[in-house]
Amino acid sequence: MAMGISQRQLGVLAGIDAFAASSRVNQYEQGKHAPDFGTAARLAGVLGVPVPYLFSTDDELAGLIRKFGALPEEKRKRLIRNLNLLEAE
């Protein structure tokens, strides 16, 4: 998801040391290293996405996670009820 910020800016906003921020975020994006949960949570917070979005390997699922995370609680509950009905068909 493009936010118009550099890897360095993203890392710094997520609390990564400014000197290492760009290379660490690049390594996360390239799959060379994985962030610990705390770092992933801070990155997700900066990006405005749920943490599982960062770990999804399927673009459709990632899109659903992002959209689900943006819904208010009542709409989430309604969506889950509807999914349960579809699953039962």
Side-chain angles (χ1 to χ4, degrees):
M1 171 180 293
M3 283 190 53
I5 62 173
S6 68
Q7 291 175 335
R8 182 181 184 282
Q9 291 170 310
L10 172 60
V12 169
L13 290 171
I16 299 170
D17 178 77
F19 181 75
S22 181
S23 63
R24 282 187 52 196
V25 171
N26 183 268
Q27 290 173 353
Y28 298 153
E29 287 183 356
Q30 299 302 315
K32 293 178 183 175
H33 297 286
D36 61 45
F37 185 81
T39 301
R42 291 190 304 275
L43 288 167
V46 172
L47 294 170
V49 298
V51 175
Y53 172 86
L54 299 178
F55 295 98
S56 179
T57 58
D58 178 285
D59 289 343
E60 286 183 336
L61 180 57
L64 286 172
I65 292 168
R66 183 180 51 77
K67 289 177 181 181
F68 183 82
L71 290 174
E73 184 178 352
E74 186 51 44
K75 287 189 177 185
R76 286 181 183 192
K77 289 178 181 178
R78 188 171 9 148
L79 178 58
I80 291 169
R81 284 192 302 270
N82 288 334
L83 286 171
N84 286 335
L85 290 172
L86 282 172
E87 187 178 47
E89 290 181 356

